[in-house]
């Protein structure tokens, strides 16, 4: 059985909790794109775990966590995470990295930071070197995990080839003087190579074999569908494909037999960084939602921009992903509101209506949402585990979203804990 579980909005939909919820029924949990730009927070009892690279499903005993070829790996960050988890649970022999995954190098992070701070149209990246690392991958200048196990000479050659032009750029265009040398970077890689050797494998083969003997495999998406490099709000996107087909590409599983694609969808909308956000609330209400939803980035700590649910955007991303069911999260954050608005369409400047998510920035920036007003329920839903126990207006809200999305909302999360889930 293969499941793909991913976010349908701009990230931060509460994926970690959902993945942790599903993982108990799976043998493998797989990351297939992105890198340490992701931040997945899981609460187990009193303990809080923040994951950036390792699939959060690893917290379940017996689950193997696999980082696929589609990921760009910050090795030091990865090792820190292994240490963090190992303090709480035994993960030996349960974490794997693809030999074909690309390494995020110090110059990728320097370039990401320099570009962001010295341009007039910053993307608001996490500055984790993600864009430059993927750029090197497609430019055939990337260093892959398997390269670390060749020889120091070969590795130095690769570092030299990748760094030469960037060194010139960093020094002469971005005026950054403190740069690592080729020798230093090669030496560091040689040390890191020994530390990650036990984790490196031809993970596509592992997965193919596991699938062949009918193991259950869960793909864990990072970021969100509206940050996809092709279908998101380009150029205000991340540098990978975040949507469901990327699970096959970014893992090499070799089978398109996917049993379920679950879209994790927040009951309202948030976005971090720059870029269009038609239903954004720039007032006190946005602030109120930010506070009650604790909407601050788990990777960068940045306050997330908050707004109403955008059914046009979410219907668009659900279609692109082939979403079969929705897992609605953070419904309880709306508990205290008098009215809850839902964007059901857009209005162009000329007054004409639009019911599809537009491709270009000028269109996205110009449109105004058309709202439907749903009465609030003004009661606590926190921790409710049975749909029938929800206040009538909360049920109506969920059912209204279902109609707009054309998909069943099969699960509703009502709190932090693993158990705070309504199954329908
Ligand atoms: P990058 O992925 O660091 O290059 O950042 C590109 C855009 O994606 C920025 O707007 C980031 O805020 C956003 N982004 C990257 N990772 C995440 C995430 O895990 N959650 C939400 N937004 C993200």
């Amino acid at each position: 059985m293969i499941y793909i579980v991913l976010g349908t909005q701009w990230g931060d939909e509460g994926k970690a909790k959902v993945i942790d919820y599903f993982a108990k029924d799976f043998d493998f949990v797989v990351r297939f794109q992105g890198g340490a730009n992701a931040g997945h927070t899981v609460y187990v009892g009193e303990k809080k775990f923040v994951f950036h690279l390792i699939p959060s499903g690893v917290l379940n005993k017996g689950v193997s966590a696999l980082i696929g070829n589609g990921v760009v790996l910050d090795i030091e960050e990865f090792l820190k995470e292994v240490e963090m988890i190992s303090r709480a649970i035994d993960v030996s022999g349960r974490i794997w990295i693809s030999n074909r995954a690309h390494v995020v190098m110090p110059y990728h992070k320097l370039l990401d930071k320099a570009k962001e701070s010295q341009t007039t149209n910053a993307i608001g990246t996490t500055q984790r070197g993600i864009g430059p690392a993927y750029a090197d991958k497609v430019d055939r200048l990337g260093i892959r995990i398997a390269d670390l196990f060749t020889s120091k000479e070969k590795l130095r050659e690769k570092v030299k080839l990748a760094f030469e032009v960037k060194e010139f750029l960093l020094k002469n265009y971005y005026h950054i003087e403190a740069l690592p040398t080729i020798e230093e970077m090669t030496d560091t890689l040689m040390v890191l190579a020994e530390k990650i050797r036990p984790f490196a494998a031809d993970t596509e083969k592992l997965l193919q074999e596991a699938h062949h003997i009918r193991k259950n495999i869960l793909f864990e998406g990072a970021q969100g569908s509206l940050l996809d490099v092709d279908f998101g709000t380009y150029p205000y996107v991340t540098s990978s494909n975040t949507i469901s087909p990327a699970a096959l590409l970014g893992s090499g599983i070799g089978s398109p037999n996917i049993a379920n694609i679950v879209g994790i969808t927040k009951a309202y909308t948030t976005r971090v960084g720059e870029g269009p956000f038609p239903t954004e609330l720039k007032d006190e209400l946005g602030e109120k939602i930010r506070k009650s939803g604790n909407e601050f980035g788990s990777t960068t700590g940045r306050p997330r921009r908050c707004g109403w649910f955008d059914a046009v955007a979410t219907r668009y991303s659900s279609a692109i992903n082939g979403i079969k069911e929705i897992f609605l999260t953070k419904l309880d954050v709306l508990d205290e509101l008098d009215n809850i608005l839902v964007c059901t369409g857009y209005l162009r400047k000329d007054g004409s209506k639009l019911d599809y998510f537009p491709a270009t920035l000028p269109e996205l920036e110009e449109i105004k949402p058309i709202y439907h007003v749903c009465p609030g329920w003004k009661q606590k839903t926190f921790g409710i585990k049975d749909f029938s126990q929800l206040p009538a207006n909360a049920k109506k809200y969920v059912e209204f979203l279902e109609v707009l999305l054309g998909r069943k909302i099969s699960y509703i999360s009502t709190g932090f804990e693993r158990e705070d889930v309504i199954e329908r």
Side-chain angles (χ1 to χ4, degrees):
M1 182 172 73
I2 301 176
Y3 262 47
I4 302 175
V5 177
L6 43 73
T8 59
Q9 294 152 313
W10 278 289
D12 308 314
E13 296 91 350
K15 290 184 285 292
K17 180 192 155 164
V18 174
I19 288 150
D20 184 60
Y21 173 80
F22 280 122
K24 59 187 184 304
D25 299 322
F26 287 80
D27 303 294
F28 283 85
V29 185
V30 184
R31 269 286 299 268
F32 53 91
Q33 48 72 226
N37 48 350
H40 293 172
T41 310
V42 187
Y43 294 88
V44 183
E46 300 284 283
K47 280 202 180 116
K48 177 182 171 187
F49 296 87
V50 182
F51 295 89
H52 298 290
L53 280 160
I54 298 176
S56 47
V58 76
L59 289 177
N60 289 269
K61 276 187 197 138
V63 172
S64 289
L66 202 142
I67 297 175
N69 55 282
V71 169
V72 287
L73 192 88
D74 181 330
I75 302 177
E76 282 170 342
E77 187 62 49
F78 167 80
L79 291 168
K80 266 195 240 160
E81 244 166 74
V82 172
E83 214 183 292
M84 168 203 61
I85 310 168
S86 303
R87 266 184 254 127
I89 52 167
D90 180 18
V91 287
S92 44
R94 292 204 282 129
I95 299 177
W96 302 101
I97 307 169
S98 168
N99 273 324
R100 290 167 172 79
H102 282 246
V103 178
V104 176
M105 295 291 290
Y107 44 82
H108 293 139
K109 290 195 245 182
L110 287 169
L111 268 177
D112 197 357
K113 280 188 190 131
K115 279 170 83 178
E116 283 287 288
S117 58
Q118 297 187 37
T119 175
T120 48
N121 61 335
I123 302 294
T125 73
T126 59
Q127 305 197 2
R128 298 295 179 111
I130 306 299
Y134 277 115
D136 265 2
K137 174 177 173 171
V138 289
D139 203 13
R140 292 154 294 192
L141 287 171
I143 294 170
R144 306 200 293 177
I145 296 296
D147 294 327
L148 308 188
F149 312 125
T150 51
S151 69
K152 187 168 180 186
E153 290 64 42
K154 286 208 172 85
L155 199 52
R156 186 191 297 110
E157 259 320 291
K158 281 204 160 265
V159 175
K160 183 167 177 280
L161 200 65
F163 187 53
E164 277 173 340
V165 178
K166 291 179 193 76
E167 184 177 28
F168 183 83
L169 195 66
L170 283 163
K171 264 194 187 146
N172 300 299
Y173 186 80
Y174 291 117
H175 307 293
I176 294 174
E177 293 303 326
L179 295 177
T181 65
I182 292 168
E183 208 51 44
E184 282 165 359
M185 285 188 281
T186 312
D187 285 344
T188 306
L189 281 181
M190 292 302 288
V191 173
L192 293 177
E194 286 322 302
K195 295 192 179 166
I196 60 156
R197 197 186 278 275
F199 303 99
D202 291 323
T203 49
E204 68 286 353
K205 194 160 170 279
L206 264 178
L207 274 185
Q208 291 156 13
E209 284 165 4
H211 184 46
H212 186 69
I213 56 168
R214 296 176 174 276
K215 294 278 182 193
N216 294 332
I217 298 165
L218 178 69
F219 285 98
E220 156 175 344
Q223 289 79 55
S225 305
L226 299 174
L227 289 170
D228 182 271
V229 69
D230 283 283
F231 291 100
T233 45
Y234 191 88
Y236 295 99
V237 293
T238 190
S239 299
S240 65
N241 283 113
T242 57
I243 58 173
S244 60
L248 306 184
L249 262 176
S251 71
I253 189 164
S255 168
N257 297 325
I258 297 154
N260 201 357
I261 305 176
V262 181
I264 308 166
T265 303
K266 191 142 61 179
Y268 49 97
T269 313
T270 60
R271 153 158 227 177
V272 217
E274 303 304 320
F277 180 177
T279 61
E280 181 170 11
L281 286 164
K282 292 182 178 167
D283 54 9
E284 279 168 22
L285 201 50
E287 186 60 35
K288 188 173 174 179
I289 294 176
R290 182 175 308 121
K291 274 206 186 116
S292 51
N294 191 24
E295 295 294 355
F296 297 90
S298 37
T299 300
T300 58
R302 290 180 291 179
R304 296 177 185 144
R305 299 155 64 192
C306 298
W308 296 122
F309 190 86
D310 186 338
V312 184
T314 313
R315 188 165 55 226
Y316 160 82
S317 67
S318 298
I320 284 158
N321 280 299
I323 298 291
K324 294 189 181 174
E325 320 182 88
I326 302 273
F327 198 128
L328 193 71
T329 58
K330 298 186 114 172
L331 184 70
D332 54 291
V333 172
L334 306 177
D335 283 356
E336 285 174 17
L337 302 185
D338 295 326
N339 288 311
I340 299 157
L341 273 57
V342 174
C343 167
T344 55
Y346 302 131
L347 214 51
R348 291 197 192 90
K349 240 187 191 155
D350 65 7
S352 61
K353 285 187 181 168
L354 184 67
D355 66 356
Y356 193 72
F357 199 66
T360 66
L361 282 185
E363 283 174 290
L364 277 162
E365 278 158 2
E366 172 205 301
I367 51 171
K368 295 269 174 288
I370 301 169
Y371 285 122
H372 177 92
V373 181
C374 303
W377 42 92
K378 309 276 284 177
Q379 276 177 54
K380 263 182 99 173
T381 61
F382 187 84
I384 289 182
K385 294 178 183 62
D386 190 337
F387 191 69
S388 66
Q389 304 294 308
L390 281 181
N393 283 348
K395 282 190 215 158
K396 278 189 197 151
Y397 184 70
V398 171
E399 284 159 357
F400 184 54
L401 298 191
E402 259 180 343
V403 172
L404 292 172
L405 299 179
R407 282 157 174 91
K408 184 164 184 213
I409 296 177
S410 305
Y411 309 89
I412 303 163
S413 152
T414 54
F416 302 113
E417 296 284 345
R418 262 182 196 165
E419 298 76 31
D420 297 336
V421 173
I422 297 171
E423 277 188 39
R424 293 173 73 211

